[in-house]
Amino acid sequence: MVVKTFLFGGGLWLGATAASAQVLSLDADGHMTVLCTAAQNAQAAPVAPMTTTPAAYAPMIARAAQAYQLAPDLLDTLIREESGYDARAVSKKGAVGLTQFMPTTAKALGVDPYDPQQNIMGGAALLRHLLDAYDGHIDLALAGYNAGQGAVAKYGGMPPYAETREYVGQNLANLAAISENAVHKAGQAPINADNYIQSCQADTHVR
């Protein structure tokens, strides 16, 4: 079983799985820089590779990301978690489309949730609003997207809901997997598995 943990400190995310660990620098717009990577357990199940963004949606994501100053990878992973790129998806609660808009939210934003371009653009607008509301904290922005800003306000941070915590963790795991693929393609070697946390802390002053 792959175990995922994410620690935040000093402006850095530490994303770890049973197969690998990474310290990622994430700015307020969700742009990532890999600062440190490491293999944790050679016997553990490997991280599943990220599938390619569907060709029909890649240009839409690029336009929405540019319009709202987001990292395309952040918008991509949100859509993967929300709908699995099913533009006709409807949740049990009635959320619709790629970024899973509730009808009231879609109406407020003037978005046709069944139109992929409008849905993605609206999702990007909402994610940008949440990032601004939470000073660029991606975990809280994702929590707000999943559980609502009211829940984040009620608990003064990450809501205790299992669904929300799993949702946030999976989105961050997807971001880590994307960056891990990029690191492997670049031919970078991992650091010593037994000391990856200590080494990352020494290199990046994570606390």
Side-chain angles (χ1 to χ4, degrees), residues 2 17-20 41-49 180 184:
V2 176
T17 71
S20 63
N41 183 353
Q43 302 304 315
V47 175
E180 178 177 282
H184 288 175

Side-chain angles (χ1 to χ4, degrees), residues 53-157:
T53 302
Y57 299 129
M60 299 180 190
I61 289 174
R63 285 194 292 270
Q66 182 176 24
Y68 290 99
Q69 297 182 316
L70 297 169
D73 288 342
L74 180 59
L75 194 51
D76 174 37
T77 191
L78 181 140
I79 294 171
R80 290 175 190 274
E81 286 306 303
E82 289 290 342
S83 67
Y85 275 106
D86 180 358
R88 308 300 294 182
V90 179
S91 74
K92 293 179 180 179
K93 295 181 180 180
V96 175
L98 292 169
T99 64
Q100 289 289 278
F101 271 117
M102 293 299 291
T104 52
T105 305
K107 183 177 181 180
L109 292 174
V111 169
D112 176 358
Y114 287 105
D115 180 282
Q117 178 65 76
Q118 290 188 40
N119 191 293
I120 291 173
M121 195 66 75
L126 180 55
L127 187 55
R128 175 76 270 164
H129 165 74
L130 292 167
L131 284 167
D132 290 344
Y134 299 121
D135 298 321
H137 286 201
I138 293 177
D139 61 333
L140 295 182
L142 291 170
Y145 198 102
N146 177 261
Q149 286 183 269
V152 176
K154 178 180 178 179
Y155 292 102

Side-chain angles (χ1 to χ4, degrees), residues 7-12 14 197 200-202 204-207:
L7 308 176
F8 182 71
L12 304 174
L14 171 61
I197 292 179
C200 288
Q201 288 177 335
T204 61
H205 306 291
V206 176
R207 293 177 174 82

